[in-house]
Amino acid sequence: MLRLHMTLRKIISFIPPEYKEQEKWHLKIITDRCKGCLFCINFCPTELLESSPEINSKGYHPPKIKDDMDMDDCAKCGFCELICPEFSIFLEKEEDTTGAKK
Amino acid sequence: MTISEEKVDDTILEAKRHPMDYLLRWDRLPHVWCSGCGLGSVLSCFIHAIAESGIDTKKIVVVSGIGCTGRASGYLDLDVFHTTHGRAIPFAIGLKLANPELKVIVFSGDGDLFAIGGNHIIHAARRNADITVICSNNFIYGMTGGQLAPTTPMGAWTSTSPYGNVEPNFNLCHLVASAGAIYVARWTSLNARRLQASMVEAIKKKGFSFIEVIPPCPTTFGRRNDYEEGIKMLEFFRENTIIRHGIDPGDAELNLGNKIVVGKFVDKEDKPTLSDHIARIQLFAKRR
């Protein structure tokens, strides 16, 4: 599975940048709201997230992106935002400040 | 070669505000609901539905009763009303009759709406009062310590039925549909997208619309019934939920052994509402 994943990423890295998605998306989190219910981790369609070893101010482990994955693997479905009971994690499009090509 | 060539985002960024915070009293967060409780997901779907429906937020009123779900009104930055136990629907009907321009939504739990307020909801459905009711059915009286509720499935273990429940439970959708509701749907809190779309549909509907949501309750229901974590109950929902649109809600019983039948059961059009009748009678009275 991991090998297939790395192969796919190699293929993607050969695509010239002008054909790549221009929009940049970020996963953001308000750490202190998280109560560690694991909903976002278990029901992510691409299994992007895992529990972080660090703890927040309430003593829960907030989610983090897996070490071998990054935001290119995110499906941008926003299901984590919808199902998060604490209004903690959300998906946000980066504001276009650099004047990138359209 | 692969990863380090261009800068990639491999961390979750820290933020201060959530994009939906404009509908929330964010200074009250984090809320009182337990870790693993699904009520937050239902509230999240609700505020996304309000944002998607495009209705002016100054014209939306959310009324809630007592109970775990009743706390939801305290976290919404809309016109909200936290009423006495079981009387959310009379307050909502009063608001709607006093100002017919308002969009009145009742957001409450099963104990509040169907146990102490049971009569109010069937008569609101009979009159076709122009309100939307979102009832989250967690099978139990959660806030008071997990006592037996009218919605507890037969055989479930609660703190007041230590050898299992011996009473048959209410089928909320069937009850409301029989009393004359024009829109009846049931979803679990895991069907978040469908729940959100259903809420938008129900809010825009003219007449008595009803949505039953099933969130996980790990602390009081799950702990005694082998679902001690919210995630375990959601996994159960994922494997045991079937979607049946348009079936007779009488066939969609909620029992422990059976699959959970969800979907949009009733969707009728153009039934005169209570507000229509009142407006007609007011016109008649003025003419005399």
Side-chain angles (χ1 to χ4, degrees):
Chain A
M1 188 64 210
L2 188 69
R3 186 171 294 166
L4 176 73
H5 177 75
M6 296 306 281
T7 330
L8 276 176
R9 178 169 289 169
K10 262 181 200 166
I11 294 168
I12 289 167
S13 68
F14 281 125
I15 299 172
E18 58 265 30
Y19 291 109
K20 273 191 188 171
E21 226 180 304
Q22 292 294 329
E23 294 169 342
K24 278 196 110 182
W25 292 79
H26 290 297
L27 266 184
K28 295 193 175 178
I29 190 169
I30 307 168
T31 313
D32 286 346
R33 282 187 192 175
C34 181
K35 282 185 193 163
C37 64
L38 309 178
F39 287 4
C40 54
I41 294 170
N42 264 42
F43 296 104
C44 177
T46 55
E47 299 178 358
L48 183 75
L49 301 168
E50 64 180 355
S51 265
S52 155
E54 288 145 26
I55 55 170
N56 65 5
S57 62
K58 288 203 289 281
Y60 291 108
H61 296 278
K64 79 174 190 44
I65 295 180
K66 281 180 187 164
D67 288 337
D68 56 336
M69 294 177 117
D70 60 46
M71 274 309 286
D72 287 346
D73 302 304
C74 176
K76 281 101 179 169
C77 63
F79 194 70
C80 50
E81 177 182 337
L82 197 59
I83 206 166
C84 177
E86 315 293 330
F87 311 99
S88 174
I89 192 166
F90 58 97
L91 188 70
E92 200 172 59
K93 195 156 94 174
E94 189 182 291
E95 292 293 317
D96 193 2
T97 50
T98 53
K101 281 185 284 184
K102 284 191 178 161
Chain B
M1 164 70 203
T2 53
I3 300 168
S4 57
E5 280 205 341
E6 59 177 328
K7 188 179 164 290
V8 288
D9 317 303
D10 52 354
T11 52
I12 303 186
L13 305 178
E14 178 66 40
K16 285 215 169 80
R17 290 276 166 275
H18 192 276
M20 301 312 272
D21 267 2
Y22 74 101
L23 287 173
L24 292 169
R25 298 189 188 185
W26 49 265
D27 52 329
R28 299 234 178 159
L29 294 175
H31 49 60
V32 294
W33 297 320
C34 316
S35 167
C37 175
L39 291 174
S41 308
V42 181
L43 187 63
S44 169
C45 292
F46 180 63
I47 57 173
H48 278 86
I50 285 180
E52 193 193 321
S53 70
I55 298 169
D56 182 10
T57 49
K58 290 218 160 55
K59 296 230 167 117
I60 294 178
V61 185
V62 179
V63 185
S64 73
I66 303 296
C68 281
T69 323
R71 301 294 292 252
S73 63
Y75 303 114
L76 287 167
D77 196 7
L78 301 164
D79 288 336
V80 292
F81 203 1
H82 195 177
T83 64
T84 48
H85 194 10
R87 314 288 174 244
I89 296 216
F91 278 93
I93 294 178
L95 281 167
K96 182 71 190 176
L97 292 182
N99 188 353
E101 284 187 359
L102 293 178
K103 206 72 185 158
V104 185
I105 302 161
V106 177
F107 192 104
S108 202
D110 58 314
D112 183 71
L113 286 174
F114 283 89
I116 184 166
N119 256 315
H120 295 304
I121 196 159
I122 55 175
H123 289 289
R126 172 180 64 86
R127 291 168 181 146
N128 199 15
D130 197 358
I131 55 176
T132 301
V133 178
I134 296 164
C135 170
S136 72
N137 174 9
N138 53 9
F139 306 125
I140 211 156
Y141 291 126
M143 184 169 269
T144 49
Q147 288 88 355
L148 185 79
T151 46
T152 310
M154 214 160 168
W157 296 57
T158 67
S159 66
T160 48
S161 64
Y163 303 105
N165 178 18
V166 293
E167 303 165 0
N169 59 331
F170 258 143
N171 183 350
L172 308 185
C173 289
H174 187 37
L175 177 70
V176 174
S178 320
I182 59 149
Y183 184 96
V184 178
R186 177 195 284 154
W187 300 106
T188 67
S189 72
L190 188 62
N191 304 107
R193 291 258 175 245
R194 291 190 174 92
L195 173 62
Q196 185 195 339
S198 189
M199 279 176 178
V200 174
E201 234 173 293
I203 290 170
K204 288 188 173 172
K205 210 88 190 161
K206 197 163 168 285
F208 188 87
S209 45
F210 176 80
I211 298 178
E212 178 187 359
V213 193
I214 305 175
C217 176
T219 309
T220 53
F221 183 76
R223 196 153 47 97
R224 299 185 177 92
N225 293 285
D226 290 340
Y227 302 109
E228 61 279 346
E229 280 174 25
I231 200 77
K232 209 168 158 185
M233 203 154 177
L234 282 189
E235 286 290 348
F236 172 79
F237 290 160
R238 174 148 78 176
E239 283 155 19
N240 293 289
T241 306
I242 39 174
I243 299 175
R244 291 270 184 281
H245 288 301
I247 66 159
D248 179 14
D251 299 337
E253 293 277 348
L254 281 176
N255 291 324
L256 274 188
N258 295 6
K259 298 228 169 203
I260 299 175
V261 182
V262 297
K264 185 168 77 175
F265 300 140
V266 178
D267 192 358
K268 290 183 202 158
E269 296 287 338
D270 296 334
K271 194 179 168 191
T273 64
L274 181 64
S275 313
D276 292 344
H277 292 308
I278 296 275
R280 187 169 51 81
I281 216 79
Q282 276 175 344
L283 213 66
F284 178 71
K286 272 180 198 162
R287 231 184 267 154
R288 286 189 68 169

